């Protein structure tokens, strides 16, 4: 559940600064907390702030997430994207972003550091998306996406290699297809 404020500020023809602030809650009844053996009815809470500078060339963007309950952590996603119209309703959008985090965020995401000590805050992962979309109507579009995810932090990569969970991956390629419906 989230409550948010969104505002687009037109700077010039074709240039817009888009800002969104959100208070976000995630209810997890019966959630098995990572790296613990007990179930919890915890609610996670965080603040989110995002900005993008939409323009005819390359759009820089960032997302800042601050965990505030029950864990204190910081996550920053920063990147670039470019929507390339191909005609007949088709658009090709390459996107790259870096995921950065505080020591606490590394700990929550990758588990305890396997060789002891503490994680170093900084860049965790690099992500590349390539999306082909087709706008069927004003409110309906279809898409196919390839996403390449790579953990770049050596501390996190070492932790992942020694973790027994099948979900822990240092490098992952994911393909997706779907539709978007606007109401």
């Amino acid at each position: 559940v989230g409550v948010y404020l969104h505002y687009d500020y037109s700077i010039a023809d074709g240039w817009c600064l888009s800002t969104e602030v959100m208070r976000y809650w995630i209810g997890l009844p019966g959630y098995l907390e990572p790296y613990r053996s007990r179930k919890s009815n915890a609610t996670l809470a965080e603040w989110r702030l995002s900005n993008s500078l939409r323009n005819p060339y390359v759009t820089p963007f960032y997302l800042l997430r601050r965990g505030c309950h029950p864990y204190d952590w910081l996550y920053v996603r920063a990147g670039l994207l470019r929507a390339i119209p191909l005609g007949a309703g088709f658009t090709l959008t390459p996107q790259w972003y870096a995921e950065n985090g505080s020591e606490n965020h590394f700990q929550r995401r990758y588990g305890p550091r396997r060789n002891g000590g503490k994680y170093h805050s900084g860049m965790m992962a690099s992500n590349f998306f390539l999306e082909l979309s087709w706008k069927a109507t004003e409110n309906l579009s279809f898409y196919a996406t390839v996403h390449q995810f790579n953990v770049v932090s050596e501390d996190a990569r070492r932790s992942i290699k020694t973790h027994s969970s099948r979900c822990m991956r240092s490098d992952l390629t994911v393909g997706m297809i779907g539709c978007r419906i606007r109401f």
Side-chain angles (χ1 to χ4, degrees):
V1 176
V3 177
Y4 71 94
L5 171 67
H6 180 100
Y7 185 74
D8 287 337
Y9 178 72
S10 179
I11 297 170
D13 190 30
W15 289 74
C16 176
L17 180 62
S18 182
T19 303
E20 190 168 286
V21 178
M22 177 185 285
R23 174 70 169 172
Y24 196 64
W25 295 272
I26 305 169
L28 303 167
Y31 173 65
L32 184 61
E33 291 188 32
Y35 321 113
R36 296 181 189 206
S37 60
R38 64 178 179 83
K39 286 192 176 183
S40 166
N41 289 322
T43 297
L44 303 178
E46 66 184 60
W47 283 96
R48 293 183 178 192
L49 170 65
S50 65
N51 273 321
S52 63
L53 181 58
R54 295 192 307 257
N55 63 74
Y57 309 105
V58 175
T59 299
F61 65 89
Y62 74 86
L63 166 66
L64 175 71
R65 296 172 55 201
R66 178 68 185 214
C68 52
H69 176 77
Y71 308 105
D72 178 33
W73 50 265
L74 179 66
Y75 167 90
V76 179
R77 174 188 296 179
L80 303 167
L81 67 85
R82 167 86 164 108
I84 305 165
L86 301 176
F90 286 92
T91 303
L92 183 66
T93 306
Q95 177 184 152
W96 174 85
Y97 63 87
E99 292 182 277
N100 307 279
S102 66
E103 176 192 328
N104 291 342
H105 189 61
F106 272 84
Q107 180 84 13
R108 298 297 308 156
R109 184 174 249 186
Y110 301 113
R113 190 168 166 205
R114 297 299 178 198
N115 56 353
K118 296 184 174 190
Y119 286 105
H120 299 285
S121 298
M123 189 168 167
M124 296 185 298
S126 174
N127 293 265
F128 179 73
F129 279 84
L130 187 60
E131 178 179 292
L132 177 64
S133 62
W134 176 62
K135 190 172 184 175
T137 69
E138 184 64 31
N139 296 318
L140 175 65
S141 62
F142 298 91
Y143 65 91
T145 302
V146 174
H147 174 191
Q148 179 63 45
F149 168 81
N150 301 94
V151 174
V152 296
S153 163
E154 285 304 316
D155 289 342
R157 289 184 78 85
R158 279 192 292 274
S159 253
I160 290 168
K161 284 179 186 176
T162 61
H163 207 282
S164 62
S165 171
R166 295 182 329 151
C167 298
M168 295 289 270
R169 299 283 183 257
S170 297
D171 305 294
L172 184 64
T173 303
V174 178
M176 297 173 277
I177 57 172
C179 70
R180 293 184 181 102
I181 303 171
R182 294 179 59 186
F183 295 97

